[in-house]
Amino acid sequence: MEATTALRFVLSEWTNSPQTLLRKNARRLLELAGVLVLLSEYLAMLRIVVIVSLVLLVSLSPSSQATQQPNAIPKGQIVERMECLNDSSQSYALYLPSNYTPDRKWPILYALDPGARGKTPVERFKEAAEKYGWILAGSNNSRNGPWRRAADAWSAMTKDTLQRFSIDDNRVYATGFSGGARMALQFAQLCQDCLAGVIACGAGFPGGLVPSTAMHFLFFGTTGTYDFNFSELRGLDDPLTKAGIIHRIDVFDGRHEWPPIAVATAAIEWMELHAMKSGKRPRDDAFIDATWQQSVKQAGTLEESKKYYEAYRIYLDLSESFKGLRDVNEVQKKASQLGDSREVKDAIREEQQQIRKQREIEAQLQPLIGALPRNGDDGSGREDTRSSAVVSANEAAMNRENRLQALLSQLRKQSKSSEDSSARRVARRVLDGAFVALFEQGSSFLQTEKHYREAITTLKLATEINPDRPGPFFYLAWAYAASGDKKKSVQALSTAIDKGFSDLTAISNNKAFDPIRNDPQYQQIVGKLKK
């Protein structure tokens, strides 16, 4: 119904220029970006200006934003579940600064986690939000999968916060991890100037979307040293620069994950600096000086540790971010000197070699994984026809299986090395990338397509690639239960719990486990979680 209304408005109001529409209704694009994702499917062939059209969808005028904040909402602590006023099925984790008051406007950061864990990003950004006075809202519904689900979650969360809280229209930001980062960037592009900046964690732009001069939001990217999307984030430097998008990309010691608190805080501080530069918030000389001194000290420490490339990137960002706020001549010289040094040039060359090596190994690994049978049949019990064609096909399959296991074994060995090296970084990126791909595919087979045998084969391989994570074992137990194999379901569930799976609610509410509820072993292993 909303899409139909939006289309009607587009046709009736198209005589207005895009600039006029945006100026009149820019704040409304925020809560409607989710609808834009859905509407764009209908209007793709017409290629009319979906980005502008949805401003006309809202019946409320810009001046009617509610700022009532119920006294029952606690400040200075995380509220894990805030149900949306207009849709109780939608909720978000919330953090209000301890000094929040509706008497002034506040910046807000919307967060999208790929697993609908709204509390997780709120925990990472809470320290900075309290220090610098930001509201945080992390959706409990948005997750990887159909875009409609994330679009609905975004629309509900943004609309609810606009109704409840006093938000600065000029300082609305979004963050996301992995698929959530891609969604945040999609919303930023669709709603144009309604978002001041995006903190993209562990992933970049979604397929079909590239940096362009039409994008005016700030971009802060984060990636772990061992993140399989490391090359993607690093590779955004040039496209973002060519598009004129102000950006920074930070690397931390970690894998494919939300950034640590220190990096999350740095992202907020960077947004604060640029808000001062653009006039979106008052200049704060004490903050500018403190942030400058902290970064210069960090760069100096890295230089002393002979981590010249990391120091170079900090000096480079200092020269760009603080330009216009203070004198940057000294750090510009440092950046230039380090950039010309043999150490930095060697580090850049090594980084590029790691990226190429990762792609080479992935090109070997992917077809071997793709050739595996996904019907859950391991070949046992089949009739042995002994025809030459069958024998030849079986030998080829065995050869592929052996090559796959040999490659995985080599990568696992390299990934477990106690010393940091290019080989260890590449191995961890490749293995984690394969693991996540298999885990997501297996979950899709299980939950969306209901192809349980395919889910079993895929999830089993995911557990082989990374036997330390409990999640795939839980889903494997689910797949076995759904396929009727009670014994293996109990075994997989026991392994999941032994490896740290602790979500008793997920087990209790999953009807697939109903046939094994009375099994003594099931009761025993679930009992561990109740203690």
Side-chain angles (χ1 to χ4, degrees), residues 442-510:
S443 299
S444 178
F445 279 141
L446 173 63
Q447 299 181 73
T448 306
E449 302 174 45
K450 311 299 182 184
H451 294 167
Y452 303 125
R453 298 180 73 187
E454 289 88 338
I456 290 169
T457 303
T458 307
L459 291 168
K460 280 178 66 178
L461 184 56
T463 64
E464 292 175 15
I465 290 177
N466 193 328
D468 299 323
R469 297 192 183 183
F473 286 99
F474 168 74
Y475 281 91
L476 186 57
W478 180 353
Y480 276 129
S483 68
D485 195 328
K486 299 180 182 179
K487 182 178 180 180
K488 289 185 177 179
S489 176
V490 171
Q491 291 173 344
L493 189 59
S494 178
T495 303
I497 294 173
D498 288 342
K499 292 182 179 293
F501 189 84
S502 58
D503 192 343
L504 180 60
T505 301
I507 299 173
S508 302
N509 292 345
N510 193 325

Side-chain angles (χ1 to χ4, degrees), residues 79-84 90-94 118 136-141 156-157 160-161 164-165:
V79 180
E80 293 190 33
R81 181 179 174 83
M82 282 287 296
E83 289 188 0
C84 293
Q90 296 281 349
S91 71
Y92 53 93
L94 174 73
L136 304 176
S139 173
N140 291 324
N141 297 83
M157 175 173 62
D160 194 75
T161 51
R164 290 179 188 268
F165 308 116

Side-chain angles (χ1 to χ4, degrees), residues 71-289:
N71 293 328
I73 301 177
K75 305 172 188 177
Q77 66 184 70
I78 296 176
V79 180
E80 293 190 33
R81 181 179 174 83
M82 282 287 296
E83 289 188 0
C84 293
L85 295 171
N86 297 328
D87 184 355
S88 61
S89 69
Q90 296 281 349
S91 71
Y92 53 93
L94 174 73
Y95 183 82
L96 288 179
S98 57
N99 62 338
Y100 173 83
T101 169
D103 296 335
R104 72 173 181 87
K105 302 292 186 181
W106 300 75
I108 187 168
L109 178 67
Y110 294 108
L112 304 174
D113 181 82
R117 300 164 300 182
K119 182 183 177 183
T120 300
V122 172
E123 288 177 326
R124 301 297 172 97
F125 288 93
K126 184 184 82 166
E127 184 176 308
E130 176 64 23
K131 185 174 182 179
Y132 299 111
W134 286 43
I135 299 172
L136 304 176
S139 173
N140 291 324
N141 297 83
S142 179
R143 62 168 64 242
N144 283 356
W147 279 61
R148 174 159 194 157
R149 178 166 52 201
D152 288 344
W154 173 270
S155 294
M157 175 173 62
T158 53
K159 184 175 183 178
D160 194 75
T161 51
L162 287 170
Q163 289 177 321
R164 290 179 188 268
F165 308 116
S166 181
I167 294 171
D168 185 343
D169 299 343
N170 294 316
R171 302 201 59 205
V172 177
Y173 304 85
T175 185
F177 164 58
S178 196
R182 302 192 195 284
M183 181 60 74
L185 287 163
Q186 182 74 73
F187 290 146
Q189 186 269 336
L190 287 172
C191 76
Q192 298 231 337
D193 293 337
C194 73
L195 290 181
V198 174
I199 303 171
C201 308
F205 290 81
L209 185 64
V210 296
S212 77
T213 55
M215 299 174 181
H216 304 136
F217 53 84
L218 301 166
F219 181 99
F220 191 105
T222 74
T223 180
T225 304
Y226 308 110
D227 192 334
F228 54 86
N229 282 335
F230 176 91
S231 62
E232 178 187 358
L233 269 298
R234 269 291 198 242
L236 282 174
D237 260 327
D238 286 344
L240 288 168
T241 299
K242 291 177 181 177
I245 298 173
I246 299 171
H247 68 280
R248 171 174 156 181
I249 298 172
D250 272 19
V251 177
F252 59 89
D253 184 20
R255 298 195 174 190
H256 188 64
E257 57 191 316
W258 281 102
I261 292 173
V263 177
T265 300
I268 296 294
E269 291 173 342
W270 187 80
M271 294 294 180
E272 287 282 301
L273 274 176
H274 284 279
M276 292 180 196
K277 290 183 70 173
S278 64
K280 292 181 177 180
R281 65 149 291 179
R283 181 186 176 100
D284 183 341
D285 288 326
F287 168 78
I288 293 171
D289 185 62

Side-chain angles (χ1 to χ4, degrees), residues 399-416:
N399 180 48
R400 286 193 298 269
E401 173 69 17
N402 291 338
R403 286 164 54 202
L404 173 61
Q405 293 303 327
L407 181 56
L408 291 176
S409 177
Q410 179 186 27
L411 290 170
R412 279 193 290 264
K413 182 178 179 181
Q414 292 172 338
S415 73
K416 293 178 180 178

Side-chain angles (χ1 to χ4, degrees), residues 148 221 296 389 435 463 521:
R148 174 159 194 157
V296 169
F435 169 81
T463 64
Q521 189 177 359

